[in-house]
Amino acid sequence: MTTSPAKGTSSSPAPALSGPGGRPALIIVFLCLADLMVVLDATIVNVALPSINAGLHMSQGDLQWVVNVYALMFGGFLILNGRLGDLFGRKRLLLAGVVLFTVSSAVNGLATDATVLIVGRGVQGLAGAMIAPAGLSIINTSFKDASLRTKALAAWGTIAAAGGALGLLLGGLLTASLSWHWIFFINIPVGAAVLLGSRFIPDSRVTEGDRSVDVVGAVSITGGLLLLVLALSNGESWGWTSARTLGAAAGTAFLLAVFVVASLRSRAPIVRFGIFRIRSLAVADLVLLMLTSGIFSMFFFSSLYLQGVLAYSPLRAGLAFLPAAIGVMVGATIAQPTVGKLGPIPVGATGLALGAGGMLLLSRLPENGSYAADLLPGLLMLSIGLGIAFVPVTLLATSGVPESDAGLASGLYQTVQEIGGAVGLAVLSAIAVRQATSELGDNPSPDQAAQLAAQVSGFRSAFAVGALLLLVGAVLFVALLRKRHVEAVLQEMTQPAEKEPAADRA
């Protein structure tokens, strides 16, 4: 069974970049700089929350929204923005997102009350949902040389994997040395650099065929994703069986059902379901869901262990994640040449298995442990595996599709990553809380030592389930992909832009 683009649909090709010249390197640098802002701002505020609270005198609920509204807007608009980039220009969407992100960062840094900051964070999330799919689709439509494209996707995947740790580190450094305002001001020179370098970034878009926007599909998928992220982000504080959580879940189901019906009836749907017949893309997105569900909560629980058990300051806790960021870069560097030699299947499965091993090491954390002996070995093993796995997963999830669907594939990739992280944190947090509660039993007034032991027991359970999710991802990689599936993707990377790849038999 093959998948072809809709009749009369084509994409204006970006320049076919090849060779070791300076322009491809500059494209990678400026696109990755833009994505770095987006990834860092997902976690950079976490360490600064106490300082923000002291400065703006926010309620606990408002403080939570400083984090959640960013994830809400980012996750909700990724698919829509990815498709809009296909239709109206990927570079145009990217630059509009960079301008909006930079301006909203300046507003956040100057904020003097909670409302301004929360609204500004929401605008940042929306701008990030413009930058991420546009930047990734520009890579996929610009680099036809296999080696260059793998390097570009490896750099992008490295930022996605290491960004959480770098955000915690940078947030701690800026808050301690300057003030919380600078976690937002730091985006201004980065955004300006991307805009100055935008002349090096090529553009492409769909130029023929039905270029209309499915309004019903756009509204329903965006609303459904907004409600889904809202429920996942607030389920713990609202209560998983509360009326608000169940209402958000019901709203999500209804809107997604409307989206499916609208997409099946539309001549130009936001999501063309035929794209999932491309085996490599479908499996990679499924594996990405397991990967992000398993590992993104690692930063959350490790941070709690560092500050709550080892009594690290926020700055010291941020510095403790530096080896993890380096480990991701090392893993990605290993994966780049190895994918071409061995293929993405064994490389991806090896990275996932290595990451699972790191999570298993973390599942043995003691109550009276130390950073060097107990936490660091697991962090290093996990981060290296992460860097290795993200390269083939990113490659397969965004390659092998018609150029007219490049933004859609990128939006799906980013959405799965965001939803996976939210689902993983919600599920693993619930497991950790349940285990800690079970550990305390019927003790009405546990002492501090008992509370600490119960908390660490919860962390261990969460890490063990995270390891299981990564192992499931490795099994899916090996069981659902065959050599012919990935060969089509690797071959497409060196084909002329006008030749559309066929989907592999499911």
Side-chain angles (χ1 to χ4, degrees), residues 59-124:
S59 68
Q60 189 62 38
D62 287 344
L63 202 62
Q64 183 180 10
W65 273 105
V66 173
V67 176
N68 288 348
V69 73
Y70 183 89
L72 182 68
M73 298 298 287
F74 183 72
F77 283 90
L78 280 167
I79 290 179
L80 174 60
N81 285 338
R83 191 57 183 159
L84 292 178
D86 286 338
L87 296 176
F88 301 110
R90 292 144 187 156
K91 180 177 179 179
R92 181 181 299 177
L93 185 71
L94 174 82
L95 296 183
V98 171
V99 170
L100 192 60
F101 200 98
T102 305
V103 172
S104 59
S105 295
V107 171
N108 288 344
L110 296 170
T112 56
D113 65 72
T115 302
V116 172
L117 182 59
I118 291 171
V119 172
R121 284 286 290 170
V123 175
Q124 273 191 312

Side-chain angles (χ1 to χ4, degrees), residues 10 57 61 127 150 156 163-164 181 212 227 247 273 292 304 324 338 370 425 476:
S10 66
H57 308 290
T150 301
W156 190 275
H181 303 276
S212 61
L227 285 177
F273 292 131
T292 52
L304 290 178
T338 311
S370 69
L425 184 57
L476 290 174

